[in-house]
Amino acid sequence: MMRKGALWGAGLLLWAAHPALAAEPGAQAAPAVESAPARSAAASGSARTAPERRFTGEDLFNLSLASDPQISPDGRRIAYVRRSNDIMSDRAVSSIWMIDTQSGAEIPVAASDGDAFSPRWSPDGKRLAYVSTRGGGAQLWVRWIDGGEAVRLTGLPTSPSSITWSPDGRSIAYTMLVKDAGPTLGSAPANKPEGAKWAEPLEVHDLLTYRADGAGYIEPGFEKIFLVPATGGAPRQLSFGPYHDGGPLSWAPDGRTLYFSANRQPDWEENPLESEIYALDIASGAIRALTDRKGPDASPSVSPDGRLIAYTGFDDAKRAYENSHLYVMNRDGSNPRNLTADWDYSVDALRWDADGRGIYVQYDDHGETFVARIGLDGSVRKVASGLSGGSLDRPYTGGSFSVADNDAIAFTGGSATRPAEVQVTRSGSTARILTDLNRSLRETKALGEVRKISVASSHDGLPIEGWFTLPPTYVEGQRVPLILEIHGGPFTAYGPHFSTDNQLYAAAGYAVLSANPRGSTSYGEAFAQKIDKAYPGDDYFDLISIVDRAIALGIADPDALFVTGGSGGGVLTSWIIGKTHRFKAAATQKPVINWTTQALTADGPAFFGPYWIGAMPWENPEAYWKLSPLSLVGQVETPTLVVVGSEDYRTPVSEAEQYYTALRLRGVPTAFIKVPGASHGGIAARPSQSAAKAAAILAWFDKYRQGWARDAGE
């Protein structure tokens, strides 16, 4: 279960009630692994006479990104997932590599046919479990580090997730979808002749959320917990019943109990944020709830001595956003207490300190991501900074980390001009960068400088922050065309992080402004809650104010303003051009246009209405229309490109189609782009499509650089 305000890809809030919605996006000789590196675009272009210094769409095929760094218990090694774009398959290929933290030597662990991901160390650090699609579907593998041998442990019908070693290293727990037969109503005629080619059978759905962005139409079934011997053998199912029993999983030190979170109530479909912490007895299979409040309790993590359980959660007040707090309770569920009640940040990714006296957490602050150690006494100490890796196309906060027994911290971190690398730090010391996955990019490409900008909102003086990405050839004092690029979520945040979209726009001569209006995360709970039941609304003034600041600084050309954004950014793009004619052109990407149709067709029907609008469409249709950009389309005079993925189930295609049709009927210049096969969160997943989308937006802006006006007679 993801907390409210969490981001799926770069899209609107994830509502997850089904595993299909869960994300799981040197000197040493190499082991016996047949390496299959991703193919790049570096060798193309024989007619060139010199290196291309500009960042281009072609460069997207040469990018790699580090993710999921897992440091060994003794801190000597880090296994991580390397995601490298491949020009032949037009996608990111995932492989697992291992780094010696002292020498920096790096070797492949799982880089053969297929993808490999989710590396997890055994308690003694001598083996590494991971998931690989080598040879077919995703299966659980284990590699013996010293011997270099890898063994496939499972032959599962669906992909394993949340893999977790038992304390004695003899077993591995995981979760997996157990498929059920779907509902049926009647049947086709029984007299089908041999060789006849009849139509596909009817599809019958009875789930409230029957399709999920990125997963498509949901297969009937429930996520369950399993156990498999770490040396291979038949898996054993541990949990049962018509509920999704999800990860992460956490073992008691004695190996007798597993802890997990789930909504095991009969009305789980109608309560998208509800979940409790449960204890599962391995021997008997008995399951007992340890929490019982209204709201999500998730991500249980058992202390090293087994006395305490840390977890995250909040009281559900039916608001669109809440900070996720860090709690601890006794192992029997008694004496729960909030360690971050007076700390105005939302916590994620819990890791116990080996001494059992503190918990490491990840959090965002003013557009940047950090790791802090929170003591059981409530003390807070920042221990790592500069985390990144939320996405490649846009500059979202993000990243991940892990902690060794000696308190060494491995994390993914980068900068505004460098995608995420593996880094390591200890005791607050300066982090060491251990990888250089995009050295060619750094050495040959001229990237746009990124600068911070701030302003007081014209609405109420609220401080608003953002970041410029300037053209690589920018000369101080020069005015350049400006693209206001608005983040999605809306409960997410931009920051000084690498972004392919921004660098492509900057290479074309535009300054790009990535702003965090009210509603953004990382500025405290009250800042995010300012748009509760009022989105879009006053965030419009924040965005216009920061554009005016860009003009006042002498950077933005006031006669060459453009606006774009995806998901929540698409909502605000469409809202802005209904409020003002200052922008020469716009590109609204995967927007919500009509909250009534969004609430009833998106993959969060139990969430959007109650939490974002405050009612169902038939209960308060006026509230839905008042917040719908479609209500302002009669005032739009801005040439507007409309973009959406053809398999977007978060802000469905029908939202974009409504807006495109309305603009055409009004005679406003428009065009409609569908990205074939793309989901909401995966609209930039294929490098060719990501580059083509950015190129189309630039072409649209260039086409209307001088603006557009209706003929006098219209």
Side-chain angles (χ1 to χ4, degrees):
M1 167 75 67
M2 295 178 68
R3 64 175 175 83
K4 273 198 293 186
L7 177 71
W8 176 275
L12 287 160
L13 179 90
L14 168 65
W15 175 69
H18 192 281
L21 285 161
E24 274 256 16
Q28 192 171 347
V33 176
E34 181 186 351
S35 182
R39 290 276 295 276
S40 78
S44 64
S46 60
R48 293 177 183 169
T49 58
E52 171 61 78
R53 297 287 294 168
R54 292 184 312 125
F55 186 74
T56 69
E58 186 178 87
D59 291 317
L60 270 61
F61 289 108
N62 299 327
L63 292 176
S64 294
L65 183 76
S67 65
D68 197 11
Q70 297 294 316
I71 194 166
S72 60
D74 61 10
R76 292 173 52 200
R77 302 182 178 98
I78 299 171
Y80 76 97
V81 177
R82 180 188 297 185
R83 293 179 54 80
S84 301
N85 285 340
D86 175 35
I87 197 170
M88 300 305 292
S89 61
D90 192 19
R91 69 179 186 90
V93 176
S94 296
S95 57
I96 297 174
W97 292 70
M98 187 166 61
I99 309 168
D100 184 295
T101 58
Q102 294 301 313
S103 68
E106 189 170 0
I107 60 172
V109 172
S112 59
D113 178 44
D115 288 293
F117 47 93
S118 299
R120 296 296 182 267
W121 290 98
S122 63
D124 60 9
K126 295 181 179 180
R127 291 165 292 171
L128 188 74
Y130 58 93
V131 178
S132 174
T133 61
R134 181 180 181 180
Q139 301 295 334
L140 182 60
W141 291 66
V142 170
R143 175 170 291 278
W144 275 253
I145 299 302
D146 291 339
E149 293 294 329
V151 175
R152 195 182 85 172
L153 295 189
T154 61
L156 305 175
T158 58
S159 178
S161 302
S162 303
I163 60 177
T164 311
W165 288 85
S166 63
D168 61 9
R170 297 180 59 191
S171 303
I172 299 173
Y174 61 92
T175 63
M176 185 185 73
L177 176 68
V178 177
K179 295 182 180 181
D180 286 344
T184 59
L185 288 171
S187 62
N191 60 334
K192 180 180 179 180
E194 184 177 352
K197 295 182 179 180
W198 286 13
E200 292 294 318
L202 303 182
E203 294 182 11
V204 181
H205 302 282
D206 62 359
L207 291 172
L208 176 59
T209 298
Y210 59 90
R211 61 185 185 181
D213 190 67
Y217 285 81
I218 293 175
E219 292 186 273
F222 293 93
E223 188 177 18
K224 293 297 160 192
I225 301 171
F226 289 80
L227 194 65
V228 66
T231 53
R236 170 187 165 197
Q237 186 171 340
L238 298 179
S239 70
F240 301 86
Y243 319 104
H244 294 294
D245 300 326
L249 307 174
S250 186
W251 287 85
D254 61 10
R256 297 178 180 177
T257 308
L258 266 173
Y259 299 90
F260 66 98
S261 66
N263 183 346
R264 303 189 113 237
Q265 300 303 314
D267 61 351
W268 60 268
E269 289 188 81
E270 289 79 33
N271 285 283
L273 296 184
E274 186 64 28
S275 65
E276 309 295 348
I277 305 296
Y278 289 90
L280 187 158
D281 183 83
I282 301 297
S284 68
I287 293 176
R288 180 169 56 93
L290 302 182
T291 59
D292 62 357
R293 65 143 160 217
K294 178 178 174 55
D297 293 316
S299 303
S301 181
V302 183
S303 64
D305 62 7
R307 295 188 307 107
L308 299 174
I309 299 172
Y311 60 101
T312 62
F314 56 81
D315 294 324
D316 184 4
K318 292 286 185 179
R319 287 189 288 255
Y321 177 84
E322 307 280 355
N323 275 349
S324 183
H325 290 283
L326 172 64
Y327 293 83
V328 292
M329 62 181 171
N330 296 334
R331 63 184 176 188
D332 63 358
S334 64
N335 193 30
R337 52 196 177 100
N338 186 349
L339 298 183
T340 57
D342 299 320
W343 197 56
D344 198 14
Y345 300 101
S346 194
V347 304
D348 193 17
L350 314 185
R351 306 283 189 274
W352 277 93
D353 192 324
D355 64 13
R357 294 184 294 183
I359 301 149
Y360 293 95
V361 301
Q362 184 170 314
Y363 69 101
D364 292 345
D365 183 14
H366 285 71
E368 300 189 59
T369 304
F370 303 90
V371 177
R373 181 191 182 277
I374 300 178
L376 294 179
D377 59 359
S379 61
V380 178
R381 176 167 52 91
K382 186 186 300 183
V383 295
S385 59
L387 276 72
S388 66
S391 64
L392 268 177
D393 61 319
R394 290 188 283 167
Y396 284 106
T397 58
S400 55
F401 78 99
S402 62
V403 185
D405 291 343
N406 64 359
D407 294 323
I409 299 172
F411 65 94
T412 57
S415 70
T417 55
R418 186 171 184 174
E421 307 276 7
V422 177
Q423 303 190 34
V424 66
T425 186
R426 185 180 178 188
S427 303
S429 61
T430 301
R432 290 187 295 123
I433 301 175
L434 299 179
T435 58
D436 198 358
L437 302 182
N438 298 284
R439 186 175 67 181
S440 295
L441 175 78
R442 292 193 302 104
E443 293 178 346
T444 62
K445 295 295 176 177
L447 298 177
E449 176 192 353
V450 175
R451 298 180 186 176
K452 193 170 186 178
I453 177 176
S454 59
V455 71
S457 174
S458 64
H459 177 66
D460 55 8
L462 188 70
I464 303 298
E465 291 183 341
W467 285 264
F468 275 125
T469 303
L470 298 173
T473 57
Y474 180 73
V475 176
E476 206 66 41
Q478 176 188 17
R479 287 194 181 273
V480 294
L482 177 75
I483 297 175
L484 173 62
E485 207 285 321
I486 310 169
H487 71 64
F491 304 106
T492 58
Y494 278 162
H497 311 292
F498 182 79
S499 163
T500 56
D501 276 7
N502 286 7
Q503 291 295 342
L504 288 170
Y505 298 153
Y510 292 83
V512 187
L513 180 53
S514 304
N516 285 333
R518 68 191 64 209
S520 301
T521 55
S522 78
Y523 296 91
E525 189 172 68
F527 188 94
Q529 288 179 349
K530 285 184 179 296
I531 64 169
D532 183 47
K533 313 301 184 295
Y535 168 71
D538 294 339
D539 34 12
Y540 164 80
F541 299 103
D542 304 340
L543 293 168
I544 296 300
S545 296
I546 204 165
V547 168
D548 288 340
R549 179 59 177 162
I551 295 170
L553 289 172
I555 294 175
D557 181 347
D559 296 319
L561 303 178
F562 303 85
V563 60
T564 188
S567 192
V571 173
L572 284 168
T573 296
S574 306
W575 190 259
I576 284 171
I577 60 176
K579 293 280 190 178
T580 181
H581 301 158
R582 291 179 63 183
F583 294 88
K584 298 294 187 183
T588 180
Q589 304 176 55
K590 49 186 182 182
V592 174
I593 295 303
N594 182 338
W595 281 110
T596 296
T597 50
Q598 165 72 13
L600 298 177
T601 61
D603 61 356
F607 178 81
F608 287 112
Y611 286 90
W612 281 16
I613 309 298
M616 288 299 184
W618 51 89
E619 296 170 340
N620 192 349
E622 295 82 9
Y624 277 77
W625 184 246
K626 181 178 68 174
L627 298 174
S628 295
L630 190 60
S631 70
L632 302 179
V633 75
Q635 303 171 43
V636 174
E637 296 292 329
T638 304
T640 303
L641 181 66
V642 183
V643 183
V644 71
S646 68
E647 296 181 15
D648 190 329
Y649 299 134
R650 182 63 39 77
T651 56
V653 177
S654 57
E655 294 298 306
E657 290 172 334
Q658 290 178 72
Y659 202 56
Y660 168 73
T661 302
L663 292 171
R664 282 299 310 270
L665 290 172
R666 288 211 57 250
V668 177
T670 186
F672 182 40
I673 293 178
K674 289 176 71 174
V675 183
S679 64
H680 187 87
I683 197 169
R686 311 298 291 270
S688 70
Q689 292 180 337
S690 182
K693 180 172 69 72
I697 291 170
L698 287 170
W700 186 260
F701 291 169
D702 288 345
K703 181 177 181 179
Y704 292 99
R705 180 71 69 93
Q706 303 306 317
W708 171 82
R710 291 182 184 272
D711 293 337
E714 290 189 41

